[in-house]
């Protein structure tokens, strides 16, 4: 342990800032929290880890006053408190930065921070904009953040919007800051900027509860880690001295296979096994002469940096976006795909990276979502839906994919991210698509659910499905792919077999700009 860490440990050992003891919370049919405990000290970053559905968000929503506990107690500065609503939590100095930002794009940064609490002029009628901006500037200076408080939030990057959310929480004089997946949409430079602010707040004595699925962040930012599983407390361990493998094992209750794909696993690639061939697809400046082949039983990894054109290529093949030129062949026959309906008719399915917007009807139940792409198959007498057949199909896939849900009548929005992703997969399996595009299939999903998704994709390939997997996580690409295609600025810049692919080689191809290639 470093000298700095030792000093922080000594400062924090005096008393916990927050203590949660024997806390339980139930919803109809579900015991979300069972006798949980958690402790946060002043001036520490305490990571809260667990699979989706482990109870992390529920526990934090109880602390933030969104939910009320059924049993147990919460202590702040050693004194028992009741937190009946978010306003009470704010009064106790507890702030939360949600994964989905809650800002108004048409208002300035300062207006978002103090909305509903704006300083007024002498008559108490008009908002004092100068004072409003001054107070926002004070918070930004405390965060050592260069940001004009008059800037419209809609004009800011996602990273800067997140800083505004943090500033908003600090405006309530928060001593406890809950951060839920704060780096999910940030690049490496933005993450480092966020970590700088977190370290700054920690040095000021703010206690930070940090929820993330990214294991590599643990060593960089957290002091301690508390693990939850199935709504229960598992353990609290020091971040610095505890191996990541140990934390993962505590989260899932088992060891996970994280080894890269071995060349011997590569599918046969004879010409008669080609299910999909794409030739010269071009679309403006986003796609330029992209060509590839996809074989039966193969998982083809598609790697590249943000903006490389990976999703654009998948959407063009699926007919979701128009293309300027290029041909598509399915089983050796040239096909015309001008819409997703055409693609589905030819046995192509696409699992979008934004499953909530494009893959699911979250307000509908599990049963309806599983059947969404196959409704015509369940029509009887030309006009009636065969509800019994839909129910049987949904129950079959819930069992086959081990989807955790109280019933097939549960609204999809109430399920964890991993289980939502499985429902999208079930939808395309029911449609019996032989060619599947998985776009960021494990984004926002914990390690245990990732392992299940990996096994499911492997099983689909073993059955003869042909899969294109787009992922921004290089270990995931290496773990899953039989072959890897790499894109940069809309072009396919190289192909690597499983046996030769490394993170370094992928990154070299991912940064191979056309200007460098042609020199």
């Amino acid at each position: 342990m470093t000298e700095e860490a030792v000093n922080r440990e000594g400062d924090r050992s005096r008393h916990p800032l927050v203590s949660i003891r024997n806390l339980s919370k139930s919803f109809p049919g579900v015991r979300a929290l069972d006798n949980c405990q958690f402790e946060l000290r002043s001036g520490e970053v305490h990571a809260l880890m667990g699979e989706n559905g482990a109870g992390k968000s529920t526990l934090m929503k109880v602390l933030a006053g969104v939910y009320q506990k059924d049993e147990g107690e919460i202590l702040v500065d050693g004194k028992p408190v009741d937190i009946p609503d978010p306003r009470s939590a704010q009064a106790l100095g507890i702030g939360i930065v949600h994964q989905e930002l809650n800002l108004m794009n048409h208002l300035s940064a300062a207006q978002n921070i103090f909305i509903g609490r704006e300083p007024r002029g002498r008559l108490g009628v008009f908002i004092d904009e100068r004072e409003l901006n001054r107070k926002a500037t004070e918070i930004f200076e405390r965060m050592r953040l260069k940001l004009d408080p008059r800037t419209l939030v809609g004009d800011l990057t996602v990273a800067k919007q997140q800083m505004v959310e943090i500033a908003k929480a600090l405006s309530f004089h928060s001593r406890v800051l809950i951060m839920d997946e704060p780096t999910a949409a940030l690049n490496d430079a933005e993450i480092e900027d966020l970590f700088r602010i977190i370290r700054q707040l920690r040095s000021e004595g703010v206690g930070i509860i940090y929820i993330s699925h990214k294991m590599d962040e643990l060593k960089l930012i957290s002091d301690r880690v508390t693990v939850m599983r199935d709504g229960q407390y598992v353990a609290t361990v020091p971040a610095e001295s505890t191996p990541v493998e140990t934390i993962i094992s505590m989260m899932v209750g088992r060891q996970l296979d994280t080894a890269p794909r071995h060349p011997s696993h590569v599918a046969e690639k004879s010409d008669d096994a080609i299910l999909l061939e794409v030739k010269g697809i071009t679309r403006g400046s986003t796609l330029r002469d992209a060509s590839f082949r996809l074989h039966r039983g193969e998982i083809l990894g598609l790697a590249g940096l943000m903006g490389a054109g990976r999703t654009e290529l998948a959407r063009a093949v699926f007919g979701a976006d128009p293309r300027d030129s290029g041909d598509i062949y399915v089983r050796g026959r040239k096909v015309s795909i001008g819409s997703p309906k055409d693609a589905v008719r030819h046995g192509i399915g696409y699992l979008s990276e934004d499953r909530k917007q494009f893959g699911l009807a979250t307000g509908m139940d599990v049963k309806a979502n599983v059947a969404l792409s196959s409704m015509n198959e369940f029509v009887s007498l030309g006009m009636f839906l065969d509800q019994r057949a839909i129910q049987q199909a949904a129950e079959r896939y819930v069992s086959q994919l081990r989807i955790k849900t109280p019933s097939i009548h549960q609204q999809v929005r109430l399920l964890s991210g991993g289980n939502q992703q499985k429902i999208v997969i079930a939808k395309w399996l029911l449609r019996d698509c032989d060619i599947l595009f998985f776009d960021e299939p494990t984004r926002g999903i914990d390690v245990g659910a990732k392992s299940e998704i990996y096994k499911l994709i492997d099983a689909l390939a073993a059955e003869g499905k042909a899969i294109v997997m787009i992922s921004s996580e290089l270990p995931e690409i290496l773990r899953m792919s039989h072959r890897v295609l790499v894109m940069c600025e809309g072009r396919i810049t190289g192909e690597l077999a499983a046996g030769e692919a490394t993170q370094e080689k992928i990154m070299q191809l991912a940064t191979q700009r056309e200007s460098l290639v042609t020199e």
Side-chain angles (χ1 to χ4, degrees):
M1 184 179 291
T2 64
E3 182 178 350
E4 179 187 358
V6 171
N7 292 336
R8 286 203 309 268
E9 188 71 23
D11 291 339
R12 291 193 301 261
S13 61
R14 296 170 188 170
H15 64 77
L17 181 57
V18 171
S19 296
I20 297 175
R21 301 175 181 172
N22 306 319
L23 194 141
S24 297
K25 173 68 179 177
S26 295
F27 298 100
V30 179
R31 189 166 178 83
L33 299 174
D34 184 11
N35 202 34
C36 288
Q37 62 187 69
F38 183 82
E39 179 188 274
L40 178 69
R41 302 166 182 167
S42 296
E44 80 163 336
V45 179
H46 194 143
L48 184 58
M49 308 293 294
E51 298 185 78
N52 282 348
K56 309 183 300 294
S57 293
T58 302
L59 184 64
M60 290 301 99
K61 285 180 178 179
V62 171
L63 182 58
V66 178
Y67 297 150
Q68 283 68 55
K69 59 183 172 59
D70 296 336
E71 301 171 10
E73 62 177 351
I74 300 172
L75 293 84
V76 176
D77 286 329
K79 300 177 182 178
V81 296
D82 282 322
I83 310 179
D85 50 49
R87 188 180 294 272
S88 300
Q90 290 168 351
L92 289 167
I94 300 170
I96 184 168
V97 179
H98 295 282
Q99 182 176 1
E100 296 180 359
L101 302 180
N102 186 26
L103 298 170
M104 298 185 182
N105 288 341
H106 65 288
L107 298 181
S108 72
Q111 289 166 341
N112 268 278
I113 291 170
F114 292 102
I115 191 165
R117 303 174 292 133
E118 300 88 348
R120 302 284 173 172
R122 292 181 180 178
L123 299 178
V125 177
F126 300 105
I127 295 174
D128 187 341
E129 292 287 347
R130 178 177 293 182
E131 178 65 10
L132 181 76
N133 292 328
R134 186 193 67 78
K135 293 174 70 174
T137 299
E138 278 188 355
I139 299 175
F140 291 154
E141 287 177 349
R142 175 188 173 189
M143 296 168 64
R144 298 179 186 173
L145 177 65
K146 293 182 179 179
L147 180 62
D148 188 336
R150 298 167 295 181
T151 306
L152 293 182
V153 160
D155 294 335
L156 297 175
T157 63
V158 172
K160 286 292 193 291
Q161 289 179 2
Q162 196 159 51
M163 302 305 180
V164 173
E165 279 278 27
I166 294 172
K168 185 176 180 179
L170 294 177
S171 73
F172 288 96
H173 306 290
S174 298
R175 297 183 300 146
V176 177
L177 190 59
I178 304 166
M179 307 187 77
D180 192 356
E181 295 287 351
T183 64
L186 306 187
N187 61 36
D188 289 346
E190 292 167 340
I191 290 173
E192 184 51 44
D193 200 31
L194 174 66
F195 284 0
R196 178 189 60 76
I197 289 175
I198 290 174
R199 293 185 183 105
Q200 169 68 21
L201 296 175
R202 177 172 65 184
S203 70
E204 296 175 5
V206 176
I208 297 170
I209 303 172
Y210 190 90
I211 302 175
S212 176
H213 291 131
K214 297 182 179 180
M215 291 292 159
D216 56 335
E217 294 177 358
L218 287 179
K219 301 293 184 181
L220 293 174
I221 199 63
S222 59
D223 300 301
R224 290 192 294 165
V225 180
T226 286
V227 178
M228 295 181 66
R229 185 172 68 239
D230 298 329
Q232 296 181 321
Y233 169 83
V234 176
T236 298
V237 295
E240 189 176 42
S241 59
T242 305
V244 167
E245 293 77 13
T246 300
I247 295 172
I248 291 175
S249 180
M250 289 192 294
M251 288 171 59
V252 301
R254 60 190 183 279
Q255 295 292 329
L256 299 180
D257 176 17
T258 57
R261 179 78 66 185
H262 191 273
S264 63
H265 295 165
V266 178
E268 291 295 326
K269 294 192 288 185
S270 59
D271 287 343
D272 62 354
I274 297 173
L275 290 190
L276 175 68
E277 184 170 8
V278 173
K279 293 183 178 180
I281 284 194
T282 298
R283 181 171 189 258
S285 61
T286 59
L287 289 173
R288 291 180 284 175
D289 196 28
S291 303
F292 67 90
R293 288 179 169 185
L294 180 65
H295 301 82
R296 185 185 308 278
E298 178 181 38
I299 301 172
L300 178 63
L302 195 53
L305 301 175
M306 189 176 296
R310 298 164 301 163
T311 293
E312 288 80 2
L313 179 57
R315 288 177 60 86
V317 174
F318 190 62
D321 293 333
R323 58 185 187 276
D324 299 333
S325 60
D327 298 317
I328 299 171
Y329 297 80
V330 176
R331 298 179 184 85
R333 185 169 61 89
K334 185 176 178 180
V335 297
S336 176
I337 297 178
S339 69
K341 188 175 182 180
D342 294 335
V344 172
R345 189 169 62 249
H346 291 295
I348 302 174
Y350 174 53
L351 288 78
S352 167
E353 63 178 328
D354 189 344
R355 57 180 172 265
K356 290 185 178 179
Q357 183 173 353
F358 297 115
L360 296 166
T362 56
M364 298 174 70
D365 62 17
V366 172
K367 171 171 62 69
N369 272 275
V370 170
L372 269 179
S373 294
S374 308
M375 281 298 183
N376 289 340
E377 306 298 321
F378 296 104
V379 176
S380 60
L381 301 177
M383 58 186 297
F384 299 106
L385 283 176
D386 188 341
Q387 294 291 346
R388 182 186 179 94
I390 293 175
Q391 180 168 328
Q392 289 176 341
E395 288 175 342
R396 181 169 75 252
Y397 282 108
V398 164
S399 174
Q400 180 180 328
L401 303 184
R402 294 192 295 178
I403 298 171
K404 294 180 181 178
T405 177
S407 77
I408 61 173
H409 304 292
Q410 177 83 321
Q411 283 192 353
V412 167
R413 66 180 180 84
L414 300 176
L415 301 182
S416 69
N419 287 301
Q420 289 179 353
Q421 189 70 301
K422 288 182 181 180
I423 291 170
V424 181
I425 295 172
K427 178 179 72 173
W428 292 117
L429 292 182
L430 178 59
R431 183 71 198 193
D432 198 25
C433 292
D434 289 328
I435 301 164
L436 292 167
F437 284 81
F438 285 78
D439 197 346
E440 302 287 0
T442 64
R443 175 170 288 173
I445 293 176
D446 60 75
V447 290
K450 277 186 179 183
S451 181
E452 291 190 9
I453 295 294
Y454 293 160
K455 289 177 182 176
L456 182 54
I457 293 174
D458 275 334
L460 292 174
E463 292 173 8
K465 307 289 187 186
I467 296 167
V468 176
M469 192 182 80
I470 301 169
S471 178
S472 299
E473 298 185 23
L474 293 185
E476 180 168 88
I477 286 285
L478 295 173
R479 160 71 179 83
M480 293 300 297
S481 305
H482 297 125
R483 278 189 302 140
V484 180
L485 293 182
V486 187
M487 295 187 69
C488 179
E489 295 184 342
R491 298 174 303 107
I492 294 176
T493 52
E495 175 183 327
L496 298 166
E500 63 177 340
T502 64
Q503 294 196 33
E504 291 76 16
K505 288 182 179 179
I506 292 174
M507 285 305 298
Q508 184 178 6
L509 291 169
T511 54
Q512 190 170 303
R513 302 178 63 185
E514 188 171 28
S515 59
L516 298 177
V517 175
T518 56
E519 286 179 357

